[in-house]
Amino acid sequence: SIIDLVSFSLILYSIQPQLFATIIGYAIFGTVVTTYIGSSLLPLNFDKLRREADLRYLLVRIRENAESIAFYGGEDVEGKEVASRLARVVDNRRDINVAQRNLEFFTTCYQYLIQVVPVAVVAPQYFAGTIQLGVISQSVGAFNHI
């Protein structure tokens, strides 16, 4: 893995030093943005576990005390509490889905953009006639491999 990183980095640097700097910047950008977008998932997943546990606890408590609840006519109160806790679980799941959607949207775009970035960096040299078309393919392959 380290040998691949060094060898393909040297290939990128030999093609154009700017291309090597671009891959470093691209990797840093991707890491920072992915960390920023994904950082909301940690507290959301923690809340998910807590809210689901609260709901399960309530359901078990209702099951154990069903006779007393029925005797004192507490069905409406308990039903409202179950609906409230279930709504919290559903809302949390919705928030998790939104955060995961945003993260997946970025990572998918990031993966497709890696095909375009090296071509955009090396294309001016190709149009100037200083490199051949094969060098562009080589730079895309090295860029993708790193």
Side-chain angles (χ1 to χ4, degrees), residues 119 122 125-127 129-140:
V119 174
V122 179
Q125 285 184 333
Y126 174 73
F127 290 123
T130 58
I131 61 171
Q132 296 177 350
L133 184 61
V135 174
I136 293 177
S137 300
Q138 186 180 18
S139 66
V140 169

Side-chain angles (χ1 to χ4, degrees), residues 8-26 117-118 121-122 125 130-131 135 139 143 146:
F8 283 103
S9 296
L10 290 174
I11 290 170
L12 286 176
Y13 191 79
S14 69
I15 293 170
Q16 185 176 10
Q18 185 182 3
L19 194 58
F20 179 71
T22 302
I23 188 69
I24 299 298
Y26 190 76
V117 171
V121 172
V122 179
Q125 285 184 333
T130 58
I131 61 171
V135 174
S139 66
F143 206 85
I146 291 179

Side-chain angles (χ1 to χ4, degrees), residues 38-111:
S39 65
S40 65
L41 284 172
L42 186 66
L44 286 173
N45 283 322
F46 178 78
D47 284 345
K48 174 187 170 212
L49 294 174
R50 187 177 45 82
R51 290 177 184 192
E52 288 176 353
D54 288 345
L55 178 62
R56 284 190 304 270
Y57 174 77
L58 178 66
L59 294 174
V60 168
R61 189 179 60 81
I62 289 173
R63 183 175 179 190
E64 289 174 351
N65 299 311
E67 191 173 310
S68 299
I69 292 170
F71 181 73
Y72 290 111
E75 297 93 353
D76 291 337
V77 173
E78 296 297 334
K80 287 178 185 176
E81 185 63 26
V82 168
S84 171
R85 290 191 188 188
L86 183 61
R88 286 187 219 139
V89 169
V90 170
D91 289 342
N92 179 261
R93 185 68 230 183
R94 189 175 298 120
D95 293 341
I96 289 173
N97 286 344
V98 167
Q100 285 178 336
R101 180 204 59 203
N102 293 342
L103 184 61
E104 286 293 322
F105 180 73
F106 173 74
T107 56
T108 300
C109 291
Y110 184 79
Q111 289 172 351

